[in-house]
């Protein structure tokens, strides 16, 4: 056998080859991350269409599609207070092509479920938050309740006679309504639906008396004359709703619930991808189009990066944990 052409490998040559391969591999991974998105990105909304999360996410997805030249597709996966859609994304590949959108309700989940089908800390990572909107109490435009006082007086006179709807037990609107009941010393009757938009339709159809929701989801029918907003959270009236008092002005102090929308990715998603996503969302929120959209919805038009979003989540977790315990709803 001729051994002349057999390649000879020295330890030094082997080390150099390994180092070169590692460099090429790292370069390939970095290039793949830098190239994100190179195919459509799926954003799961774990509630039905038409609610605040859906409306805000679809608008941001539209902007991201325009900015990146790649499709950002929103899919609604409602059920079980959003946990069905969230758990699907928690099990998805950590490559940046499957994301989940949610709102303040995400902070409530550990307090209303003894066991979740996913681990919020181990399975998902917060990426960015956007569209910070106050909560509002809405009734049908021809409702007999002209003011918040009217509604509270009726509930005080006949406990459980005044009904309200939400996108499900344990959602932010559910807890906000129970917080109002506690603050005013009354009892409302809760009627859960699959999403906030269904609750809105129930208000319009006189199936229920009122609902709590983010102004993002209510502004359309409110400005269209179908709904009447009795009060909004926050320190001052909204410029787009100058005739609607704050809860403090309507007689309920310290009711400052704000609903934010955010995006999460499966844990382990490359930082190059999440950082690009943060930049693109921040760019979108800084645009005149998104500034106008958010302002018309009565929302604060800004974006929070992962670090700030993490702090918001921690603060929300503490706040809603206190509310859950105060109304006897804490799962722990």
């Amino acid at each position: 056998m001729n051994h002349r052409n057999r390649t000879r490998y020295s330890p030094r040559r082997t080390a150099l080859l390994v180092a070169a391969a590692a460099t090429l591999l790292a370069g390939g991974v970095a290039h793949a991350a830098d190239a994100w998105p190179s195919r459509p990105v799926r954003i799961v909304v774990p509630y039905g269409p038409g609610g605040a999360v859906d409306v805000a996410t679809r608008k941001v997805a539209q902007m991201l599609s325009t900015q990146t030249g790649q499709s950002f597709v929103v899919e609604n996966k409602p059920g079980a207070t959003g946990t069905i859609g969230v758990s699907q994304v928690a099990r998805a590949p950590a490559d940046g092509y499957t994301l989940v959108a949610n709102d303040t309700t995400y902070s409530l989940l550990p307090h209303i479920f003894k066991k979740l089908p996913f681990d919020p800390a181990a399975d998902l990572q917060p990426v960015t938050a956007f569209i910070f909107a106050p909560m509002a109490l809405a009734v049908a435009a021809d409702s007999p309740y002209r003011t918040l006082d009217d509604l509270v007086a009726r509930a005080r006179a006949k406990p459980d006679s005044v009904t309200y709807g939400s996108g499900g037990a344990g959602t932010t609107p559910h807890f906000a309504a129970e917080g109002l009941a506690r603050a005013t010393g009354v009892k409302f009757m809760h009627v859960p639906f699959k999403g906030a938009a269904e609750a809105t339709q129930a208000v319009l159809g006189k199936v229920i008396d009122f609902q709590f929701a983010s102004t993002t989801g209510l502004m359309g029918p409110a400005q269209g004359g179908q709904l009447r907003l009795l009060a909004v959270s926050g320190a001052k009236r909204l410029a787009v709703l100058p005739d609607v008092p704050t809860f403090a002005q309507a007689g309920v102090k310290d009711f400052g619930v704000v609903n934010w929308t955010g995006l999460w990715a499966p844990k382990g998603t490359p930082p190059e991808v999440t950082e690009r996503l943060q930049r693109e969302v921040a760019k979108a929120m800084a645009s005149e189009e998104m500034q106008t959209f958010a302002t018309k919805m009565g929302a604060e038009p800004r974006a929070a990066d992962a670090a700030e979003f993490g702090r918001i989540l921690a603060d929300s977790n503490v706040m809603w944990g206190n509310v859950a315990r105060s109304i006897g709803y804490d799962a722990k």
Side-chain angles (χ1 to χ4, degrees):
M1 181 180 292
N2 187 351
H3 295 283
R4 285 184 180 180
N5 295 325
R6 182 179 296 170
T7 303
R8 297 175 65 89
Y9 291 100
S10 67
R12 176 177 171 76
R13 179 181 177 84
T14 301
L16 289 172
L17 287 172
V18 170
T23 300
L24 288 171
L25 179 61
V29 172
H31 177 73
D34 289 342
W36 181 92
S38 59
R39 54 188 171 88
V41 177
R42 183 171 68 114
I43 304 178
V44 173
V45 170
Y47 309 106
V53 179
D54 185 66
V55 171
T57 302
R58 287 183 184 277
K59 184 62 180 177
V60 168
Q62 175 191 330
M63 296 295 294
L64 295 178
S65 297
T66 300
Q67 290 172 194
T68 65
Q70 189 56 261
S71 297
F72 282 72
V73 182
V74 175
E75 294 183 10
N76 298 94
K77 299 287 183 182
T81 317
T83 58
I84 292 175
V86 175
S87 61
Q88 286 185 6
V89 176
R91 297 191 298 267
D95 56 10
Y97 290 95
T98 305
L99 308 169
V100 65
N102 212 323
D103 64 358
T104 312
T105 297
Y106 186 88
S107 302
L108 291 165
L109 298 180
H111 303 292
I112 61 178
F113 290 101
K114 288 185 178 180
K115 186 176 182 180
L116 288 167
F118 61 92
D119 185 326
D123 297 336
L124 292 161
Q125 61 189 80
V127 179
T128 182
F130 51 92
I131 305 287
F132 293 76
M135 300 289 289
L137 190 156
V139 299
D142 57 352
S143 167
Y145 304 118
R146 307 291 302 180
T147 66
L148 183 61
D149 261 348
D150 292 340
L151 188 144
V152 170
R154 174 67 177 180
R156 183 171 291 119
K158 291 192 174 183
D160 287 329
S161 66
V162 178
T163 57
Y164 73 92
S166 74
T171 57
T172 302
H174 172 207
F175 270 44
E178 291 302 320
L180 176 64
R182 185 174 179 82
T184 54
V186 303
K187 282 192 69 178
F188 300 125
M189 179 176 287
H190 180 213
V191 182
F193 293 88
K194 289 183 179 178
E198 283 191 15
T200 301
Q201 291 304 311
V203 172
L204 295 173
K206 310 294 178 58
V207 176
I208 56 175
D209 293 308
F210 75 94
Q211 79 170 129
F212 257 102
S214 162
T215 54
T216 308
L218 296 175
M219 197 61 71
Q223 292 184 325
Q226 298 168 289
L227 291 177
R228 183 190 309 127
L229 305 188
L230 301 187
V232 295
S233 64
K236 60 182 181 180
R237 297 189 185 209
L238 299 176
V240 291
L241 297 169
D243 297 328
V244 180
T246 66
F247 279 96
Q249 291 169 339
V252 182
K253 306 295 183 183
D254 301 322
F255 198 79
V257 180
V258 172
N259 192 59
W260 39 260
T261 305
L263 292 174
W264 286 256
K267 194 79 166 185
T269 299
E272 296 88 351
V273 171
T274 57
E275 288 165 10
R276 170 82 189 279
L277 181 58
Q278 286 178 47
R279 292 195 301 272
E280 294 295 343
V281 171
K283 178 181 177 181
M285 291 308 303
S287 70
E288 183 177 350
E289 183 174 348
M290 283 302 295
Q291 294 276 312
T292 300
F293 169 82
T295 301
K296 284 183 176 179
M297 294 295 106
E300 182 186 358
R302 70 180 180 91
D305 62 17
E308 183 185 357
F309 192 13
R311 291 191 293 271
I312 291 170
L313 283 168
D315 291 344
S316 295
N317 187 280
V318 172
M319 179 186 73
W320 291 118
N322 291 334
V323 173
R325 284 185 290 275
S326 73
I327 62 176
Y329 207 89
D330 200 333
K332 295 180 180 179

